[in-house]
Amino acid sequence: MTNVLILGANGQLARNTTRFFLKHSDARLTLYLRRARRLCNPDPLRVTIIEGDATDPNALKTAMKGQDAVYANLSGAMQQQAHTIVESMHAASLKRLIFISSMGVDGEVPGERYRSVLDPYRDSAAEIEAYDLDYTILRPGWFTHDEEIDYQLTQKGTPFKGHDVSLNSLSDLIVKLVLSPTMEVRHSIGVSRI
């Protein structure tokens, strides 16, 4: 059984991915968020909810004990959060990280010039890539609420294809990445609809 720590667990994508983990795996989940009262526990036998901030190294180190993978779905002070996450993972001898970023952070979207709005995503990705972790950085297109699971991947340095992707597609990919610990290791991948 895989133990997964989900950081930013109240986010739209994280909530959808929690549902996917519970439906498509036997993983045990630790949902980590700033205000725990915002979530109802969807499965008390497999889910633990912890209140904490992703910039708090002591709380993160405690939450990481016994985990097999970390899936981070954050906003705000992203570089500081990324730094705290990777330092805490090292302290916990934890290697597998799935980190949500954004399309455009590498200038890979043809015809688009994203400016400073993406700086937190760029800086956090650079922070993660500087460490010796088994990370996978996901650079998704805009989220849609379509039910389909239909996506394509592009590697860092190649043009991004498309501009959107369903939440279900991303959740499907995240579950696969966590359950296949060698899949796309040390890659930054774009994710969009086929």
Side-chain angles (χ1 to χ4, degrees):
M1 185 177 298
T2 303
N3 295 314
V4 185
L5 176 62
I6 300 179
L7 303 178
N10 194 44
Q12 177 179 231
L13 176 57
R15 288 190 319 267
N16 197 67
T17 303
T18 296
R19 182 175 60 85
F20 262 65
F21 271 116
L22 293 174
K23 184 176 180 180
H24 301 289
S25 79
D26 65 351
R28 293 179 51 183
L29 308 176
T30 301
L31 308 181
Y32 186 96
L33 65 158
R34 283 188 294 242
R35 288 182 293 284
R37 69 182 178 278
R38 294 188 296 174
L39 281 183
C40 291
N41 192 324
D43 185 344
L45 296 176
R46 292 176 52 199
V47 176
T48 302
I49 299 176
I50 295 177
E51 185 165 288
D53 192 293
T55 59
D56 181 341
N58 294 326
L60 271 181
K61 287 173 195 168
T62 299
M64 287 180 181
K65 289 179 182 169
Q67 302 295 335
D68 298 303
V70 175
Y71 153 49
N73 187 84
L74 303 166
S75 62
M78 291 187 65
Q79 184 177 10
Q80 181 184 1
Q81 292 169 351
H83 180 79
T84 305
I85 290 166
V86 295
E87 289 289 325
S88 299
M89 288 181 72
H90 275 280
S93 298
L94 182 55
K95 296 289 281 180
R96 187 67 169 134
L97 172 64
I98 312 302
F99 192 89
I100 304 300
S101 186
S102 173
M103 70 174 185
V105 297
D106 296 318
E108 77 281 15
V109 181
E112 298 290 342
R113 298 287 176 256
Y114 298 103
R115 298 202 173 125
S116 61
V117 68
L118 292 183
D119 286 348
Y121 295 95
R122 283 186 196 101
D123 296 343
S124 60
E127 185 79 33
I128 291 163
E129 290 171 328
Y131 282 79
D132 183 26
L133 292 175
D134 292 341
Y135 67 81
T136 303
I137 297 171
L138 298 182
R139 297 176 283 106
W142 309 123
F143 301 163
T144 70
H145 296 277
D146 303 333
E147 290 297 315
E148 89 250 356
I149 296 173
D150 181 29
Y151 57 93
Q152 61 186 329
L153 306 179
T154 52
Q155 296 296 326
K156 184 174 182 175
T158 61
F160 193 86
K161 299 176 183 175
H163 281 88
D164 56 7
V165 64
S166 72
L167 287 169
N168 285 349
S169 293
L170 284 167
S171 295
D172 179 75
L173 177 59
I174 292 163
V175 170
K176 286 178 181 171
L177 289 166
V178 168
L179 299 179
S180 304
T182 60
M183 181 180 175
E184 299 290 350
V185 168
R186 299 191 61 78
H187 288 175
S188 173
I189 52 178
V191 190
S192 61
R193 176 182 288 146
I194 293 176

